[in-house]
Structure formats: structure tokens, C-alpha cells
């Protein structure tokens, strides 16, 4: 019996998709440079159906790739040619809300309204956002997960309170990109809304000054609820698109949001303004009212689509670096942009040091995609050199496998594989993603030479 | 006893132990030796592997060797008006950062500013094979590879020897005040949860059996306005340090002390003994000679769990028994780091 016939015994007819035309809809996530239709798509509605699918795939040794909304930017949800694409979008119920204990338990397909991704995807990527400097990443706001292993065992990780006994598999599962298990429910902690929020816009004549301004705000003991930076290209594109009211003569702007008690905001904003002026801000504007505040943020949030209007394609990178190197690394990216002959725009979570250089290119122009990828890879290596990481929030997926070889030693990668085997000895969950094989690293050639030793002496070279 | 000063010495000791399958009892200063099951093995203390490697106040990050004393690090941070957000209990003058991570114990600030796991940005550790591995890093956001640095928190040395850690730090708040009011236990739970539902600058909430205490920290303006909202009278702020360090009279008799984790709004449990609530109700000390099974059962019944923290039968099972499927994953993870079972075997669970 073939795979889809077996799957149809577990699921309603319409929940199993195997005809080529329909399969092609699923061939990529938001990293559309990589495409591969799966063998079958399944759309379960319940955790028990997920369990049955996993048991079947385990028995038949068929790869399983989990898919939320497919908005991931690193190809983490790229299908496997021989595998099942397990869509979790129909597991979209809010299971319970407990106002007394301030928690909510939801299924993984529940969406985050703003960018339409799923909470399961957020857990699998340990996503951040503009508020994580103050409020943390996904992990910092999670209490519990229900996870199905590839063998169909149900694991309850974390607890309904602030700590759980045993190994912290909640932390390990978060950000594991669908390699260790399938998340079927998520319990998050709910926080009270801050009483008020206010945003300040500061303009700079030099990108480096804006970078230094970020470090200076933190050094002053201020933890903004958001601290975002946009450079000239991003400002122009956003302004053209949504008329946010940004200054067009600036090389960079910072948006700094302070939230909390109104009196606290009132005390804090002038301090932020003073610190930024000392770093060379040419203009500092506090939003006059809530509608102006919303407009300042609309520009930031529309920056990606706005850049999408000025270039046929863009490639979004995601390294994180220590904040004090922001100025220098941005200058380096500017120089690389000249070298590769491709424009780059920067719109990013500056407060966390999380860069999002957007490389603008035209996929229809011969060689540009390859050039954009080479440029992107180079940027990530610069991030590692600066003491940072190749991905702050978008994950490794298929995209950054090579750069993993730069960031980690062979022994560290081997430890990741050992952890993977502890959950999935046959390597059926999202195979080929997130953690490169040692062979791939050897072929890539960008080896992390540790303590002067060649890291993969046991492998033949190509 | 081994008390190596360099990574090379640790590596050599671990390799030898691994080759001969001889367990190591890994610790810092043994300030929390009472916590968890005993380990039979060659003692290996990290206390001589100490010192700050890098501290960049503008990055809100500090990197230290595992044997660094928590007190020394806190003094350094205080000199730059910063602090560890998780407010770790020392429970001994020489308590180390390695022990803080290994036990994963956090202080009164936990519900409002995160636990030890939330403070860890990266670690370097030596696994049983003797290799020195680095996971995570020095930056706030990092999702490259599995999050092994946070997995290490609370493993009680059973997966690897932590030799270095990068920790997130926070600015010290400018204003702080402690308020208290006398209430019954059930009312204390109600109050602490009502406060947590509001955007108040709360940084601790506890109940000692007589009065409920709240600590407010933030800007002068927000603290002043929250004071008016919470009410009660001002109390000595040293209460929190005495609670964290278990110097309050509650902790000073010989009865077994249980640490019951519960959903914060759960009604007080009907168990014989004396209670002391911390973490706004999410973590409840119980001093009791009741049957351990009854205590564990009641804790699970309200959606939490109970750990025998100090005293009683530590050689039994001070930690809850995981369900079989989970235990089997734990065992496979243990094997992935320590196939011969030489790293603190049995401290957390007999099987690990
Ligand atoms: C315009 C735009 C802006 C963005 N901005 C940010 C930002 O500010 N901060 C940030 O952190 N990220 C950002 N992202 C990326 C975001 O993190 C991902 O898009 C999102 O987390 C993925 O959710 P998804 O439901 O689309 O998952 P998918 O893309 O479908 O899947 C992502 C990964 O998760 C796995 N997965 C999905 N569901 C499950 C499950 N239930 N169990 C196990 N594994 C699962 C998949 O296998 C895959 O590896 C942005 C993306 C876009 C397109």
C-alpha cells in the first residue's frame, strides 16, 4: 500500500493531498529561492491525528516536515521530496484561558495576527520581535508544551507554573526547528498591558552615530520596550509607501519606545533624547499623540514590503552582534555592498543587536541570486567575527547550514546530532535542516579551526 | 579531592574518569550539597576556576568562569549599577555561578524578571568525552543550533561540567520599597495575584504566614503611584535577602522543607505543616513531616509539583518521578552527553 493510501486510512479524504498540482502550493516557505514539492501533504485537525501520522511515518521510515503558516525565512519548512509535509494550520483552537493564573493554552496553528505566522512556528524558531529587549523571546514567555515524538509518544514539557522538575526540555524544544518533535499545544504566560507607551524618533547624519546611540541608551540604564533602526534606503522606501513622517535627509533613524507608568515615561523620554543628542542625533521628535505614534510604527512595520516595491527581490539576513559593534559592522556591510554590486537596506532590532540587512536583487538577472547569497553568507561570517551569531530569530533552516560550520566546531555539531538522535534516532523529523553534517562542512571548506587544529581530520576532502 | 585551576586539568580528569568509568562528584563550594541525592565519586570542585572573563556594562552581559563566587560577581555588577535579574540564592558565602546554573534556583524576583534560564546567554562546558564545547553566546538573541546552554540549567551537573557562562544582567532599579499587611493565607494568594494582573512595578511578593509582602521597584514615580494602589505599611527591605538566604526564623527548625511549585492562584493546599509563599504564590515552602507521598500527590493535584528541598529522606527521591516516556528521553539525553554515567550520576534521579 502506498503512503497516501495508508494516510487516508487515518484521516478524512480531503485532509490528504497527493496530486501534483495541489502539492506545488506547498513547495516553499517564505525563502522562495528553495523549492521542493513534498510527496504528500496532510492536514490533521487534532493532536491524536498528528500522533497517528507520526506513528505511521515512523513505521514506514518516511521523513516528516512540520509546517505552520510557512512564513519562515530560512527554509525550515521546505518539504522533503520523499516525505510528508505535516501542516498544523487546522490545529487552531484556543484550548483554555486561565485569567486567575494568567495563562493561555492554544494549539500550534493559532495565528499571531500581525504577521500571520503560527505560534507553533514561533516556538520552533524561538521568535522575537520588536519588544524582546524588555519582554524576552518566545521561550521567556512560555510555560508548557505538549510535544509528540516521532514514535508517537506524547510528552508534557514545562508545567502550568514557573518551573518544572527534570531536564529543561521546554528550553531545548524551543527553537529546535521541528527536528526534535511536533508541538501540539502551547501554554504561554500572559502579561498585563503596560499603562502607556510613547515613541521617540531620532535622526542621524551618520549610520555609525545611530549605532553608538543604541549602545549609549542601554549604557544609561534604560531598557526600552523597543529600539529599532532604519537606514536611508529603508526610510525612503517606507516613507514613499506609507508616509510615516520620517525625515528624508537622515542617514539613519532610531525609533525608541518607552512603556510603563505615564510618569515614568515622562521622566525617561527626555533622558533618552539627551543621550541620543550627545551621540549626534540631529533631530529628536516625540510622537505628539497616539496616532502619530502608530504612524511611526507603521513605517517600521511596512519597511519590508516597502523595500519589496523598489527591487524585484530581496534577501533578508538575520545576524546578531554585540551592540557596541553596530557602527563598525554596518560600515562593513556597506563596503561589502559596493564589492558585490548589490544594494542593501537595514531595518532591524537594534536594541538587541539583531541585524536584518536586506539585500536587494533581481532573480531574473543572471547571477544575481548567487551573488546575493554569497553576499549574505559573507555578512553572517562578519557577525560571527564580531562575536555574534548567524541567526538571531529566523533560524538556520536550509539557508544557513554552511554558516553553522563557521560558528560551531565539529565536536559541537556532533553534540547537536547526538541530541537529535536522542529524540529521533532514525533522523525522520525535518531531515537535512538546522544542523549540517560534518561532511557538508568539510565540503563547504569554511571550517572553524579550533585551537589551531583542523576540525575534521577524519574526513576526506573534496 | 580535585580542584583544578585550568581547563586542561579538568579535561584530563574527565577523560581519565570516562576511560575507567569512574564517577566524578562535581560541585562548586558544596553550598547546596543538601539539594538532590548524594553522589559517590571522586570529588571535583570548580572553585579554583574563577574570575570574570569579560564584562561590558553597555552590552548588559558578563562572562565568568564557573567557580566565580556569586557574591563577587554581584559586587562587581553593583559597582556599575547592574544586577543579576534572577536574584539567585547563595545559601553559603562561597556559592558559585556554576552552582547557580546547575541547580537553576532563582530568588524572589523570578516571576517578574525571569529565572536562571532566562539569565543564561551562553555556556562553555566539558562533556564526558572530555571535549570543551560552547553553546549560545554573548548576544541577546541567538537561535543557531539547539539551545543546549539553557538545557544545562538545573541539570545538577549530570550532563556536563559548566566551566564558563555568559549571563544577561539588568540595570538596578532606581527606587525600591517594601510594603506589608497582615492577612489570612487565602487572602494573601488573592492579593498577590490581583497585583500581578495589573501593570505594577512588582519585583517580589511573599506571605510568611502572618503578613503579605510586596516589593516595588522602578522609577520613583511609578513606585510612588503603586504604593498608593497596594497599600499597607512600609517594611524593612532586608526581608527579601533573608528570605532568599533562608535566614528567616521559618527556616531555622529541623523539619523537612518542601518546595511546592503551584499555579500562583491555586488555593492553599490542605496539608499538615507550615507554609511560606514566595513568587507571588507560584512557589510555596512547606515545612512538614507529613507523608511525602501525600505532599507530592497534593502538589500534582493542583497542577504543580513538590521537591523535597532540604532535610527528610534525600536518598529516596527528592525530585518527582517523570512519566515513563519522559524518563526515557532524559536517559537518552544523558547518554548523548555522558554515555558511561560518570557526571554526578544519580544526583537528580537514580537513572541519570
Ligand atoms: C515579514 C516577516 C517579518 C518577520 N519578523 C520577525 C521578527 O520580527 N522576529 C522574529 O523572530 N521572526 C520574524 N519573522 C520570522 C518568523 O519567526 C517566522 O516567520 C515564524 O516564526 C514562522 O512561523 P510559521 O507558522 O510560518 O512557521 P513555518 O515557516 O511554517 O515553520 C517554521 C519552522 O517551524 C517548524 N514548525 C512549525 N510548526 C511546528 C510545530 N507545530 N511543531 C514543530 N515544528 C514546527 C517548521 O518545521 C519549520 O522548521 C518574520 C517573518 C516575516 C515573513
Amino acid at each position: 500500500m502506498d503512503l497516501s493510501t495508508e494516510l487516508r486510512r487515518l484521516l478524512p479524504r480531503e485532509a490528504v493531498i497527493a496530486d501534483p498540482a495541489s502539492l506545488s502550493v506547498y513547495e516553499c516557505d517564505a525563502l522562495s529561492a528553495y523549492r521542493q514539492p513534498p510527496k504528500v501533504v496532510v492536514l490533521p485537525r487534532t493532536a491524536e491525528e498528528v500522533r497517528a501520522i507520526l506513528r505511521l511515518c515512523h513505521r514506514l521510515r518516511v521523513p516528516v516536515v512540520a509546517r505552520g503558516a510557512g512564513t519562515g525565512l530560512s527554509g525550515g519548512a521546505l518539504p522533503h521530496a520523499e516525505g510528508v509535509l505535516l501542516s498544523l494550520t487546522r490545529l487552531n483552537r484556543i484550548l483554555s484561558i486561565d485569567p486567575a493564573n494568567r495563562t493561555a493554552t492554544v494549539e500550534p496553528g493559532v495565528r499571531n495576527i500581525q504577521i500571520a505566522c503560527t505560534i507553533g512556528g514561533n516556538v520552533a524558531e524561538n521568535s522575537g520581535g520588536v519588544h524582546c529587549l524588555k519582554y524576552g523571546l518566545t521561550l521567556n514567555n512560555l510555560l508548557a508544551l505538549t510535544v509528540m515524538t516521532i514514535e508517537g509518544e506524547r510528552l508534557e514539557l514545562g508545567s502550568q507554573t514557573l518551573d518544572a522538575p527534570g531536564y529543561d526540555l521546554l528550553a531545548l524544544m524551543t527553537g529546535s526547528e521541528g527536528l526534535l518533535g511536533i508541538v501540539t499545544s502551547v501554554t504561554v504566560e500572559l502579561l498585563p498591558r503596560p499603562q502607556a507607551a510613547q515613541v521617540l524618533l531620532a535622526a542621524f547624519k551618520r549610520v555609525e552615530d545611530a549605532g553608538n546611540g543604541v549602545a549609549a541608551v542601554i549604557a544609561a540604564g534604560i531598557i526600552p520596550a523597543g529600539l529599532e533602526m532604519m537606514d536611508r534606503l529603508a526610510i525612503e522606501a517606507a516613507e514613499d509607501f506609507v508616509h510615516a513622517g520620517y525625515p528624508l535627509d537622515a542617514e539613519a533613524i532610531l525609533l525608541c519606545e518607552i512603556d510603563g507608568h505615564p510618569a515614568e515615561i515622562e521622566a525617561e523620554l527626555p533622558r533618552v533624547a539627551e543621550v541620543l543628542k550627545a551621540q549626534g542625533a540631529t533631530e529628536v521628535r516625540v510622537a505628539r499623540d497616539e496616532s502619530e505614534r502608530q504612524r511611526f510604527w507603521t513605517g517600521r512595520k511596512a519597511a519590508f514590503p516597502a523595500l519589496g516595491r523598489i527591487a524585484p527581490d530581496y534577501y533578508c539576513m538575520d545576524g546578531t552582534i554585540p551592540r557596541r559593534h553596530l557602527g563598525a559592522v554596518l560600515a562593513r556591510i556597506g563596503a561589502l555592498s559596493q564589492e558585490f554590486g548589490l544594494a542593501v537596506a537595514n531595518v532591524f532590532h537594534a536594541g538587541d543587536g539583531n541585524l536584518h540587512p536586506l539585500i536587494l536583487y533581481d532573480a531574473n538577472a543572471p547571477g544575481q541570486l548567487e551573488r546575493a547569497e554569497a553576499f549574505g553568507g559573507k555578512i553572517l561570517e562578519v557577525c560571527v567575527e564580531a562575536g555574534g551569531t548567524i541567526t538571531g530569530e529566523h533560524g538556520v533552516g536550509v539557508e544557513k547550514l554552511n554558516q553553522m560550520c563557521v560558528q560551531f566546531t565539529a565536536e559541537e555539531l556532533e553534540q547537536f546530532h547526538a541530541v537529535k538522535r536522542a529524540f529521533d534516532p532514525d533522523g525522520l523529523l525535518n531531515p537535512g535542516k538546522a544542523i549540517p553534517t560534518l561532511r557538508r562542512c568539510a565540503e563547504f571548506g569554511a571550517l572553524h579551526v579550533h585551537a589551531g587544529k583542523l576540525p575534521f581530520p577524519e574526513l576526506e576532502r573534496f | 579531592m580535585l580542584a583544578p585551576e585550568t581547563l586542561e586539568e579538568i579535561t584530563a580528569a574527565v577523560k581519565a574518569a570516562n576511560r575507567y568509568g569512574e564517577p566524578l562528584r562535581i560541585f562548586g563550594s558544596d553550598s547546596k550539597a543538601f539539594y538532590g541525592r548524594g553522589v559517590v565519586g571522586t570529588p571535583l570542585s570548580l572553585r579554583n576556576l574563577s574570575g570574570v572573563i569579560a564584562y561590558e556594562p553597555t552590552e548588559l552581559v558578563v562572562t565568568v568562569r564557573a567557580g566565580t563566587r556569586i557574591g563577587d560577581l554581584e559586587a562587581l555588577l553593583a559597582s556599575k549599577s547592574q544586577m543579576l535579574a534572577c536574584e539567585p540564592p547563595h545559601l553559603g558565602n562561597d556559592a558559585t555561578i556554576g552552582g547557580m546554573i546547575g541547580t537553576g534556583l532563582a530568588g524572589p524576583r523570578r516571576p517578574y524578571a525571569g529565572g536562571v534560564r532566562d539569565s543564561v546567554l551562553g555556556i562553555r562546558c566539558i562533556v564526558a568525552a572530555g571535549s570543551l564545547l560552547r553553546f549560545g553566546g554573548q548576544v541577546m538573541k541567538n537561535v543557531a543550533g539547539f539551545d543546549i546552554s539553557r538545557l544545562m540549567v538545573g541539570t545538577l551537573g549530570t550532563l556536563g561540567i559548566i566551566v564558563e557562562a555568559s549571563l544577561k544582567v539588568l540595570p538596578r532599579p532606581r527606587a525600591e520599597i517594601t510594603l506589608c499587611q497582615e492577612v489570612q493565607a487565602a487572602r494573601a494568594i488573592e492579593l498577590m495575584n490581583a497585583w500581578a494582573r495589573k501593570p505594577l512595578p512588582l519585583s517580589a511578593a511573599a506571605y510568611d504566614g502572618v503578613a503579605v509582602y510586596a516589593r516595588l521597584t522602578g522609577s520613583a514615580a511609578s513606585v510612588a503611584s503603586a504604593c498608593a494602589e497596594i497599600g499597607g505599611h512600609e517594611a524593612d527591605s532586608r526581608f527579601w535577602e533573608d528570605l532568599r538566604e533562608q535566614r528567616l526564623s521559618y527556616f531555622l527548625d529541623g523539619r523537612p522543607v518542601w518546595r511546592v511549585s503551584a499555579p500562583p492562584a491555586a488555593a492553599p493546599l490542605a496539608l499538615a505543616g507550615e507554609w511560606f509563599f514566595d513568587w507571588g504564590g507560584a512557589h510555596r515552602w512547606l515545612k512538614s513531616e507529613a507523608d511525602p507521598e501525600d505532599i507530592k500527590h497534593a502538589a500534582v493535584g493542583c497542577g504543580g509539583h513538590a521537591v523535597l528541598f532540604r532535610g527528610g529522606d534525600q536518598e529516596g527521591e527528592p525530585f518527582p518521578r517523570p512519566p515513563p516516556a519522559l524518563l526515557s528521553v532524559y536517559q537518552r539525553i544523558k547518554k548523548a552527553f555522558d554515555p558511561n554515567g560518570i557526571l554526578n550520576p544519580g544526583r537528580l534521579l537514580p537513572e541519570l
Side-chain angles (χ1 to χ4, degrees):
Chain A
M1 209 174 357
D2 80 338
L3 180 61
S4 36
T5 317
E6 293 243 29
L7 286 164
R8 284 204 180 93
R9 290 171 39 170
L10 305 174
L11 299 168
R13 250 205 118 62
E14 45 78 46
V16 179
I17 297 173
D19 70 287
S22 312
L23 286 177
S24 68
V25 174
Y26 294 90
E27 68 185 6
C28 67
D29 62 9
L31 182 69
S32 54
Y34 295 80
R35 288 169 192 271
Q36 169 63 61
K39 192 152 192 183
V40 189
V41 175
V42 287
L43 298 147
R45 286 193 181 277
T46 66
E48 282 312 308
E49 286 180 352
V50 171
R51 186 208 289 260
I53 293 163
L54 291 171
R55 286 207 169 127
L56 175 70
C57 290
H58 183 241
R59 179 162 62 75
L60 301 178
R61 299 287 182 271
V62 172
V64 179
V65 177
R67 166 82 61 95
T71 65
L73 293 164
S74 56
L78 179 73
H80 190 286
E82 297 304 316
V84 168
L85 186 79
L86 174 58
S87 167
L88 280 313
T89 51
R90 289 182 178 177
L91 270 82
N92 60 357
R93 278 158 298 203
I94 293 176
L95 298 174
S96 65
I97 290 183
D98 180 348
N101 289 300
R102 303 171 302 281
T103 65
T105 300
V106 303
E107 289 187 324
V110 166
R111 306 235 174 187
N112 155 337
I113 316 155
Q114 285 157 7
I115 60 171
C117 51
T118 67
I119 180 103
N122 293 157
V123 170
E125 303 286 10
N126 192 16
S127 302
V130 300
H131 298 305
C132 39
L133 180 56
K134 186 164 176 186
Y135 298 103
L137 305 165
T138 304
L139 174 64
N140 309 106
N141 295 287
L142 273 186
L143 290 177
L145 295 176
T146 305
V147 171
M148 296 290 179
T149 67
I150 184 68
E151 288 148 1
E153 290 286 356
R154 179 194 164 109
L155 305 177
E156 301 290 344
L157 310 182
S159 78
Q160 296 302 311
T161 178
L162 294 173
D163 53 16
Y167 290 158
D168 194 344
L169 301 191
L170 180 72
L172 183 62
M173 193 61 61
T174 307
S176 64
E177 301 194 30
L179 268 73
L180 303 182
I182 304 299
V183 176
T184 58
S185 88
V186 182
T187 301
V188 294
E189 210 178 332
L190 304 174
L191 295 177
R193 260 183 193 287
Q195 274 162 295
Q198 182 52 285
V199 70
L200 168 157
L201 182 159
F204 294 85
K205 281 262 172 302
R206 293 174 358 130
V207 173
E208 287 86 340
D209 293 345
N212 295 336
V214 171
V217 168
I218 307 291
I222 299 164
I223 306 285
L227 185 52
E228 300 279 308
M229 180 161 157
M230 295 170 69
D231 70 4
R232 182 176 205 107
L233 200 50
I235 299 168
E236 283 171 358
E239 195 50 35
D240 210 40
F241 188 33
V242 295
H243 314 292
Y246 294 160
L248 286 170
D249 56 350
E251 283 304 316
I253 59 169
L254 288 179
L255 290 174
C256 179
E257 177 145 307
I258 302 287
D259 69 7
H261 189 272
E264 187 163 0
I265 297 174
E266 215 167 285
E268 221 62 321
L269 280 176
R271 289 184 62 216
V272 175
E274 204 180 300
V275 168
L276 293 177
K277 279 186 187 143
Q279 296 297 327
T282 50
E283 184 192 353
V284 176
R285 258 195 265 160
V286 175
R288 272 163 304 186
D289 48 30
E290 183 56 24
S291 87
E292 190 170 47
R293 174 176 165 263
Q294 293 294 349
R295 208 161 54 243
F296 283 177
W297 280 119
T298 306
R300 163 64 183 89
K301 286 178 185 156
F304 284 26
L307 285 157
R309 296 178 357 140
I310 66 167
D313 300 280
Y314 67 70
Y315 182 34
C316 174
M317 307 312 296
D318 170 46
T320 305
I321 55 167
R323 294 177 201 93
R324 64 183 181 285
H325 299 314
L326 277 175
V329 169
L330 289 172
R332 184 78 202 285
I333 292 173
L336 286 170
S337 158
Q338 301 279 323
E339 210 174 287
F340 282 88
L342 293 173
V344 63
N346 287 287
V347 196
F348 63 98
H349 313 305
D352 303 307
N354 185 192
L355 301 171
H356 285 332
L358 263 69
I359 301 168
L360 308 183
Y361 71 100
D362 179 355
N364 290 327
Q368 282 210 12
L369 169 63
E370 291 72 21
R371 228 169 339 133
E373 286 185 334
F375 181 8
K378 195 74 208 155
I379 291 176
L380 298 182
E381 287 165 33
V382 169
C383 292
V384 175
E385 274 166 40
T389 176
I390 58 169
T391 172
E393 56 181 22
H394 295 168
V396 172
V398 285
E399 181 200 20
K400 286 167 255 180
L401 283 168
N402 287 343
Q403 284 73 34
M404 284 290 284
C405 312
V406 179
Q407 188 163 331
F408 293 99
T409 64
E411 287 161 327
E412 288 155 358
L413 294 172
E414 190 39 55
Q415 189 64 53
F416 288 141
H417 286 297
V419 168
K420 162 79 169 160
R421 283 192 298 270
F423 285 84
D424 176 19
D426 303 314
L428 297 174
L429 286 172
N430 218 358
K433 310 283 177 62
I435 317 288
T437 59
L438 300 188
R439 178 167 302 279
R440 180 181 177 125
C441 289
E443 286 172 31
F444 176 59
L447 302 173
H448 181 160
V449 178
H450 191 64
K453 277 180 278 179
L454 200 59
F456 307 100
E458 68 282 12
L459 293 182
E460 31 182 324
R461 284 304 119 164
F462 299 88
Chain B
M1 184 184 89
L2 308 172
E5 286 170 28
T6 65
L7 294 178
E8 291 70 28
E9 288 171 69
I10 302 176
T11 309
V14 172
K15 281 192 170 151
N18 195 40
R19 187 166 330 114
Y20 302 112
E22 285 173 0
L24 294 170
R25 186 175 84 78
I26 302 143
F27 63 104
S29 74
D30 258 347
S31 64
K32 299 171 187 75
F34 61 84
Y35 184 65
R37 304 170 76 251
V39 175
V40 180
T42 309
L44 187 153
S45 167
L46 275 288
R47 65 158 63 99
N48 290 332
L49 192 78
S50 69
V52 173
I53 294 170
Y55 177 33
E56 199 67 53
T58 63
E59 298 292 336
L60 302 176
V61 176
V62 65
T63 301
V64 298
R65 294 194 181 85
T68 306
R69 297 198 308 185
I70 304 176
D72 292 346
L73 176 59
E74 286 177 334
L76 171 70
L77 297 176
S79 75
K80 300 285 178 197
S81 292
Q82 294 187 338
M83 62 179 190
L84 289 173
C86 60
E87 205 177 6
H90 303 199
L91 305 175
N93 286 336
D94 297 327
T96 66
I97 291 296
M100 170 186 97
I101 298 172
T103 57
L105 293 171
R109 204 181 297 271
R110 162 67 181 97
Y112 317 97
V116 176
R117 174 229 276 162
D118 305 290
S119 289
V120 170
L121 296 176
I123 55 132
R124 290 216 295 165
C125 64
I126 293 174
V127 292
S131 26
L132 174 63
L133 310 178
R134 177 218 297 260
F135 299 106
Q138 281 86 45
V139 290
M140 294 294 141
K141 290 163 85 177
N142 186 354
V143 293
F146 298 135
D147 199 346
I148 291 177
S149 58
R150 295 190 177 99
L151 169 67
M152 286 288 165
V153 176
T155 52
L156 287 172
T158 57
L159 294 185
I161 302 181
I162 297 162
V163 295
E164 188 181 308
S166 293
L167 304 168
K168 180 177 163 180
V169 301
L170 282 184
R172 289 178 88 80
R174 270 162 291 157
E176 182 163 288
I177 190 171
T178 297
L179 297 172
C180 87
Q181 49 189 297
E182 287 187 16
V183 290
Q184 300 286 318
R187 178 70 185 142
I189 294 286
E190 261 171 46
L191 278 175
M192 293 190 291
N193 282 283
W195 296 335
R197 274 192 292 277
K198 294 182 188 155
L200 296 170
L202 206 59
S203 71
Y207 177 68
D208 67 0
V210 178
V212 63
Y213 292 76
R215 182 173 63 189
L216 299 165
T217 21
S219 68
S222 64
V223 167
S225 112
C227 275
E229 195 162 344
I230 283 185
H233 53 87
E234 192 173 346
D236 191 336
S237 288
R238 279 173 301 188
F239 171 80
W240 301 107
E241 195 179 314
D242 290 339
L243 165 58
R244 189 193 75 197
E245 296 306 324
Q246 307 199 336
R247 290 191 296 246
L248 297 168
S249 60
Y250 174 88
F251 295 99
L252 301 181
D253 73 34
R255 276 184 280 168
V257 177
W258 289 82
R259 187 176 181 282
V260 177
S261 290
L269 301 179
L271 283 168
E274 271 173 70
W275 291 93
F276 196 123
F277 304 154
D278 194 358
W279 293 12
H283 155 19
R284 306 173 183 195
W285 297 108
L286 172 64
K287 207 164 49 168
S288 172
E289 271 154 355
D291 182 346
E293 289 313 310
D294 290 347
I295 296 175
K296 290 182 180 181
H297 192 250
V300 171
C302 79
H305 68 272
V307 169
L308 178 55
F309 187 74
R310 203 197 269 261
D313 177 18
Q314 289 289 340
E315 292 319 303
E317 294 223 8
F319 298 103
R321 177 127 289 264
L326 196 55
L327 179 62
S328 135
V329 177
Y330 288 174
Q331 287 175 300
R332 288 193 254 168
I333 290 176
K334 169 78 174 173
K335 276 233 162 357
F337 286 85
D338 179 19
N340 301 325
I342 60 154
L343 303 174
N344 269 0
R347 177 134 187 210
L348 187 59
L349 288 170
E351 292 88 345
L352 302 177

